[in-house]
Amino acid sequence: MLTLTLRHRDPVPLEAECVCPDRLMSMAIADIGRLRVWHGNRQTELAEHFQITGDGSDGRVRVEGDCSRVKMLGSGMASGCLLIAGNAGMHAGARMTGGELIIQGDAGDWAGAEMSGGLIRIGGSAGNLAGAAYRGSVHGMKGGMILVEGDAGDEVGASLRRGIIAVSGRVGDFCGVNAAAGTIVVGGRVGARAGAAMRRATIVTLGPAPDLLPTFHVCGTVSPTFLKVLARHLESHGFSGAEKLKGRFVRSCGDMVSLGKGEILYQAD
Amino acid sequence: MIPVDALPILDDTFAEAFPLTAAKVIVTADHPRLALSAARAATGNASSIIGCDAEAGIDCELEPHLTPDGRPGIGLLFFGFSRPALEKALVSRIGQSILTCPTTACFNGLPVDPDKALKVGAQLRFFGDGWQASKKIGDRRFWRIPVMDGEFLVEESFGTTKGVAGGNLILMCRDAAGGLDAAEACAEAMRGVPGVILPFPHGIVRAGSKVGSRYKGLKASTNTEYCPTLASRVSTKLPPGTAVVYELVADGLDLASLEESTRRGIRAAMDCRSVLKVSAGNYGGKLGPHHLHLRRIAGADFGYGVARC
């Protein structure tokens, strides 16, 4: 395993998109240290910011220290395992296509934005726009899975196209806004205007019934089989609270300002 | 006449088996009785590839913790001449017999090679008339089709493997009741092997066939050599005193499973006092590449079978 230990807690953000297991696994430590990273408006070498030890040939990288000001960790990664033993800054795992990104602390905004494969586990809370589309993009997350043990901010899964986002805690406003497909599971309260303009996606809330937009129409009480399959899948990844997915849900279809084939499911009892 | 206490003879012959494309389907439902009803309907009229679109049967019952949706389930095996033929049979059978049964869902039970997968849910989805929705969970895609009790969930693709069909045993028995008991015991033993089905009703065939007929256009006709009522009129393979003959036909996901099933069947049959002789059907080795030699499969430790016959 390759270990990168942050040398400082500089408030100036660092953009370290080169910290990906698949990129580092074939490189010598000296070469890794010479990788270029932006520190504010200045290009620097990675070794200025991280102490680098170990061997990444097994595809495993561990990052130590508070990286809440380090952006783009694991962005674009395609394989391997990146463990961040603390917080991660913005864009962690953005546009990743495979592998596993584990963030033991909190993640900043845009975690897993436009990712198309792989798994992101966030032990703490996620910021805004997890799994979302960047401004100007048609689609957000297009595959893979994001698991958040804590809460998540606004616009989780904005323009979601495919994939699963599961948040144990509560989420902010505009959850699943403009989503085309995919699934969002929320263990706690869902903020305002959930599913606004969504076309086909599913938002499942296991907490209190959400305040629905008037453009959502209740279509009965259901116990969808796919949620039972999803529960198994989430349980196999250690997601807490998945058992509740096997219960009965009120199905509210929308958003009728859009295609109207999306759904918000909230617990019937 | 063979004495009543004589031991059965294990014929020195082989069953001739051949490859067929196989698929495994898992059907689940809220209650085991519903899953079983759907399973029986989906595997109905699927005894022989000669006259049916597929050979099919129930492989095993599955406890809820073994099914994809955590509900009670049944594992089914289907065998067809080719992937297109099997795909057509699965779409028809799942669409008519599982989709229509209350609370059911339908899952693939084999690894999927995209180049060899059967598009089942991908075709059945159109029953949703535009209201179907897909969900991708892990690397598996499912289709949710709205139906009158909620949704029917079916997996998009089903994996295939090269199965082995045509395993068989022929029991020649001295009396009707004892012969039926022997055939039932034999069938029970054979279907106890995972990955093996006995596609005929109750697992037992009373109408074994030979290739061709004196009537033009008929592909198969009654196997006169094994009909006790014709024993004095035609060339016969029956030992004196044979009252009834039953055949056990088995298909397996692989040759090893089929051989194990055959071995268990031989042992069960040889324990039955009514059985005069245990044999097997073949086509002189011209049809299938797999030859299940009864004495080899029974094993060298098989005392009164190989050693005394």
Side-chain angles (χ1 to χ4, degrees):
Chain A
M1 178 188 287
L2 186 73
T3 302
L4 278 68
T5 306
L6 191 63
R7 295 181 188 275
H8 57 72
R9 296 193 61 182
D10 194 331
V12 175
L14 186 70
E15 294 187 6
E17 67 268 35
C18 58
V19 179
C20 284
D22 47 329
R23 292 181 210 170
L24 303 183
M25 65 187 302
S26 59
M27 298 175 70
I29 285 185
D31 294 332
I32 295 171
R34 284 193 288 270
L35 287 169
R36 309 294 287 175
V37 291
W38 284 97
H39 186 217
N41 60 359
R42 192 170 60 91
Q43 267 212 325
T44 59
E45 291 188 348
L46 189 66
E48 291 181 35
H49 309 282
F50 288 96
Q51 180 186 344
I52 304 167
T53 57
D55 173 17
S57 60
D58 60 355
R60 298 169 67 210
V61 177
R62 179 183 175 92
V63 179
E64 294 188 338
D66 182 4
C67 294
S68 53
R69 302 295 291 172
V70 182
K71 297 179 181 178
M72 305 181 80
L73 288 166
S75 66
M77 66 184 276
S79 63
C81 179
L82 174 59
L83 170 67
I84 300 169
N87 300 328
M90 294 166 68
H91 311 284
R95 289 181 173 151
M96 68 185 278
T97 59
E100 184 173 4
L101 170 60
I102 302 169
I103 301 168
Q104 292 185 329
D106 297 335
D109 297 345
W110 303 102
E114 296 188 8
M115 68 185 284
S116 58
L119 170 64
I120 299 179
R121 294 175 183 272
I122 300 172
S125 294
N128 302 315
L129 294 146
Y134 285 118
R135 303 308 189 208
S137 291
V138 175
H139 296 306
M141 181 177 177
K142 290 179 277 294
M145 186 158 68
I146 300 175
L147 301 177
V148 183
E149 285 300 318
D151 303 327
D154 296 337
E155 295 193 46
V156 169
S159 297
L160 180 67
R161 175 66 183 87
R162 196 178 293 122
I164 298 165
I165 301 174
V167 181
S168 287
R170 61 182 186 273
V171 298
D173 297 344
F174 285 103
C175 173
V177 60
N178 200 37
T183 305
I184 302 173
V185 178
V186 182
R189 180 179 292 279
V190 175
R193 297 182 177 269
M198 73 191 298
R199 282 164 279 171
R200 280 197 175 89
T202 300
I203 298 174
V204 189
T205 169
L206 307 174
D211 291 329
L212 295 173
L213 287 166
T215 45
F216 276 78
H217 297 169
V218 171
C219 292
T221 303
V222 295
S223 183
T225 308
F226 91 92
L227 284 186
K228 296 177 173 67
V229 179
L230 180 61
R232 288 240 143 164
H233 186 65
L234 291 176
E235 282 169 353
S236 73
H237 285 85
F239 183 77
S240 55
E243 181 71 21
K244 289 182 181 176
L245 290 170
K246 299 172 185 173
R248 293 190 67 77
F249 294 85
V250 176
R251 181 172 192 255
S252 184
C253 298
D255 186 346
M256 299 304 166
V257 300
S258 183
L259 185 64
K261 290 185 176 177
E263 61 188 350
I264 296 178
L265 304 170
Y266 55 94
Q267 288 188 297
D269 307 320
Chain B
M1 181 66 70
I2 295 175
V4 172
D5 60 349
L7 295 168
I9 295 169
L10 182 60
D11 205 359
D12 187 9
T13 188
F14 60 92
E16 192 170 347
F18 48 91
L20 283 183
T21 303
K24 182 170 184 176
V25 171
I26 295 169
V27 54
T28 63
D30 281 359
H31 302 286
R33 65 178 185 276
L34 291 169
L36 187 58
S37 288
R40 283 176 173 157
T43 56
N45 189 28
S47 53
S48 169
I49 202 77
I50 296 172
C52 306
D53 59 354
E55 294 186 7
I58 292 175
D59 178 29
C60 56
E61 293 184 12
L62 296 167
E63 295 293 318
H65 70 278
L66 295 174
T67 63
D69 62 4
R71 299 189 297 166
I74 308 275
L76 315 176
L77 298 183
F78 293 83
F79 296 82
F81 271 132
S82 63
R83 282 196 297 275
L86 189 58
E87 182 177 275
K88 188 177 178 184
L90 278 185
V91 169
S92 170
R93 288 168 176 274
I94 293 172
Q96 293 301 311
S97 304
I98 298 178
L99 182 152
T100 54
C101 183
T103 76
T104 56
C106 195
F107 303 97
N108 166 45
L110 289 178
V112 175
D113 176 347
D115 295 331
K116 298 179 179 177
L118 309 180
K119 298 294 183 187
V120 177
Q123 296 186 55
L124 287 172
R125 68 185 166 123
F126 294 110
F127 184 70
D129 201 25
W131 297 101
Q132 68 273 20
S134 81
K135 282 292 168 194
K136 191 168 184 186
I137 300 174
D139 55 0
R140 302 167 74 171
R141 179 180 293 285
F142 302 90
W143 283 97
R144 302 164 59 194
I145 302 172
V147 289
M148 294 191 294
D149 72 350
E151 286 180 350
F152 174 63
L153 189 72
V154 59
E155 200 152 350
E156 176 169 86
S157 299
F158 282 66
T160 58
T161 188
K162 189 171 279 190
V164 183
N168 68 86
L169 289 175
I170 298 173
L171 313 186
M172 300 166 219
C173 309
R174 72 176 82 242
D175 63 292
L180 190 55
D181 287 345
E184 286 188 312
C186 192
E188 188 67 25
M190 291 178 75
R191 69 163 68 94
V193 177
V196 173
I197 57 157
L198 278 62
F200 282 85
H202 209 57
I204 303 169
V205 186
R206 75 163 185 183
S209 60
K210 65 177 183 296
V211 176
S213 162
R214 69 169 62 190
Y215 300 108
K216 192 178 176 184
L218 270 186
K219 288 186 286 187
S221 61
T222 191
N223 200 341
T224 49
E225 290 181 327
Y226 288 98
C227 290
T229 55
L230 300 178
S232 63
R233 301 295 309 279
V234 297
S235 167
T236 187
K237 290 189 174 176
L238 305 181
T242 301
V244 295
V245 179
Y246 287 119
E247 184 177 0
L248 293 303
V249 175
D251 300 337
L253 286 177
D254 53 57
L255 184 59
S257 302
L258 197 59
E259 287 194 342
E260 173 61 16
S261 177
T262 303
R263 190 186 70 81
R264 292 190 191 185
I266 292 170
R267 295 197 169 211
M270 299 294 270
D271 278 341
C272 298
R273 295 287 87 183
S274 175
V275 177
L276 296 171
K277 188 175 182 182
V278 177
S279 188
N282 62 60
Y283 302 89
K286 295 174 185 170
L287 176 68
H290 307 297
H291 299 167
L292 286 78
H293 290 270
L294 302 189
R295 293 189 176 184
R296 174 182 60 80
I297 288 171
D301 63 324
F302 194 44
Y304 58 76
V306 177
R308 298 189 190 182
C309 63

